[in-house]
Amino acid sequence: MSLSGNESRDGFSSRFGIICATAGSAIGLGNIWRFPYIVGESGGGAFLLIYLAFILLLGIPVMLSEFTIGRRGQRNALGSFKRLAPRKPWYLVGVMGIVAAFMILAFYSTIAGWTLEYVSKALTNAFAGKSPEEINLMFVNFHTGTFWPLLWQFAFMAMTAWIILSGVQKGIEKYAKVLMPFLVVLLVIMALRAITLPGSGEGLSFLFRPNFAAIDSGVVLAALGQAFFSLSIGMGTLITYGSYIRKENNLGNISVEVSLADTLIAILAGVAIFPAVFAFGLDPADGPGLIFTVLPNIFQQMPGGYFFAIVFFVLLTIAALTSSISILEVVVAYMTEELKLSRRKATIMAAMAAAFVGVFCTLSFGLLQDVTISGLHVFGLLDFTASNLLLPLGGLLIVLFVGWYLSSSVVRDEISSGGMFKARFFAVLMFVLKFIAPVAIAIVLFDSLGII
Ligand code: TRP
């Protein structure tokens, strides 16, 4: 059996399709919902600098490593490790990825459900004429409830499962290709509106002026977790997608382009949010509800705001879908290839299991808000464990695998597509994979856990 053939596997049809699908996975709630609220809780500018350093130094190398493993292994995350390292425990990285996928899918669908509610609020013009306090109250009333948050969450999970059922090319690629550019245009318009609000300057300096007094080991860990979450790395999503990429495509270029696009969109979201936070006298450290309490205020101050609000929340839902399908695909690819289940059965079972866990996440803002473990409710606990612990740990093992376990000729062969491309920065890359990235991830992870 050839390790590099794509013969009978479903795959992406074009380079453009790969970029869109990978960027579609990376760009999602992580950029527009999670990034601003984590920046807000972490004190602003200094966090941003550390975040950017992590994207460049760790994010791009981990992404490239995942692609390398996937395209070489031609299997799901777990199967690729089994194939490249037979009878070795490396496949446990894949197992960890599947656990992380369930956790992320669960809390991701909570927030995507909130987004759907905001589509419906926008349609009924619910923000019109409301003060920032009233907009805040509206959010509190909704997200501490039971029926609607759960209903929207299930609706989102059903949409995710439905797309996954139609397969890679017809499903993932088709949806990812079309709509993302619109979201970018809309964000630019919103950012322009936000920075021209009176009193917005303070928001820009919050985001861009580093205040190193705000930095501690928890903030550094949060930056690492956010970098991994936003790039969709550390749990095998991009190993899985890598296995659908054809040999003719340049993995290095794709990694750099996708990381760049993802980062620019996060910053754009920051530029839309923080000026508005300060202009409306809100609190940047407001937590996971931040975009839902801030953005409706911007729409109110825009000509055509009614339509902008609808289009924005619809596009955000689609961005969330192109990400959630990439998480569910990790589990489904594993179940179909390793457990030999039909795609249909695997999708339904995985989506139902994730929806079950998701119920506890959603209710942790309402009914279950007093159920906490070391100060975190279910939502916070799953988010912290998956994003800040499992993803970095997965990333650490992934760079060690590519840097030390795979032979460097195999890595060079994948990265140069068998000599088709010059692997210009190969020596630098290997040095980063062998030494810099593992040491940096280990220090951040173990330091914040108090292990060193
Ligand atoms: N990166 C996506 C976002 O920013 C979420 C996501 C998709 C993800 N696949 C992932 C996060 C894999 C971690 C791991 O919204």
Side-chain angles (χ1 to χ4, degrees), residues 149-171:
L150 284 180
L151 187 81
W152 289 125
Q153 173 175 42
F154 294 150
F156 181 79
M157 197 65 95
M159 283 153 62
T160 304
W162 179 67
I163 299 174
I164 283 293
L165 274 180
S166 20
V168 174
Q169 258 183 42
K170 284 197 294 299

Side-chain angles (χ1 to χ4, degrees), residues 24-31 104 108 226 228-237 262 319-320 322-324 326-327 330 391:
S25 168
I27 297 158
L29 295 174
N31 307 60
I104 295 175
Y108 207 80
Q226 176 60 25
F228 276 57
F229 187 92
S230 194
L231 294 181
S232 300
I233 54 180
M235 59 152 257
T237 285
D262 185 73
T322 57
S323 301
S324 64
S326 78
I327 308 172
V330 171
L391 296 183

Side-chain angles (χ1 to χ4, degrees), residues 22 25 63 66-67 70 231-233 236-243 330:
T22 310
S25 168
M63 185 181 285
E66 286 203 31
F67 282 150
L231 294 181
S232 300
I233 54 180
T237 285
L238 298 183
I239 296 180
T240 310
Y241 275 23
S243 77
V330 171

